[in-house]
Amino acid sequence: MITLYDHPRSGNCYKVRLFLALIALPYRREFMDVLARKNQTEAFERISAWRQVPAIDDDGLAVWDSHAILMYLAQKHAPQWLAPLPHAGLRRATTHQHKTHWGKTWKRSLDLT
């Protein structure tokens, strides 16, 4: 069963909880008291490299970052939620590159003008 490391006031955690509910996937919630810095431990760093929520543990596989979690869950448990594109792997990879590096791309485009 998936364990979601979660804080109820986090918008990024909410996105993951919402998607889990939409695909009706059972999961266990582990409350992370970020205000008391309970996420700033070496043990949690093994699950979330940046020690941030949300993060999930899927039978020993740790995934962190809400976008990465959503893509992982969709690909593994709900592929019908992914757009059926030709060359989907390449297009998804390119999309993720832009999502991950949008700031660098934006700055580069500003430098060119």
Side-chain angles (χ1 to χ4, degrees), residues 83-107:
L85 300 170
H87 311 294
L90 176 60
R91 289 199 181 174
R92 284 192 191 120
T94 303
T95 300
H96 288 297
Q97 284 176 334
H98 289 291
K99 283 176 22 183
T100 304
H101 300 287
W102 70 270
K104 293 177 187 171
T105 305
W106 177 256
K107 183 181 182 324

Side-chain angles (χ1 to χ4, degrees), residues 2 5-6 20-21 31 39 42 48 62 64 86 97 99 101 110:
I2 291 175
Y5 295 88
D6 179 38
L20 286 164
F31 172 70
N39 57 317
E42 288 182 23
S48 175
W64 49 274
Q97 284 176 334
K99 283 176 22 183
H101 300 287
L110 289 176

Side-chain angles (χ1 to χ4, degrees), residues 35-68:
L35 300 176
R37 301 182 55 81
K38 299 294 184 184
N39 57 317
Q40 299 300 314
T41 65
E42 288 182 23
F44 187 63
E45 186 177 14
R46 288 190 282 279
I47 297 163
S48 175
W50 288 354
R51 298 180 181 184
Q52 294 178 341
V53 294
I56 63 169
D57 182 333
D58 187 7
D59 294 323
L61 175 68
V63 183
W64 49 274
D65 179 75
S66 59
H67 293 140

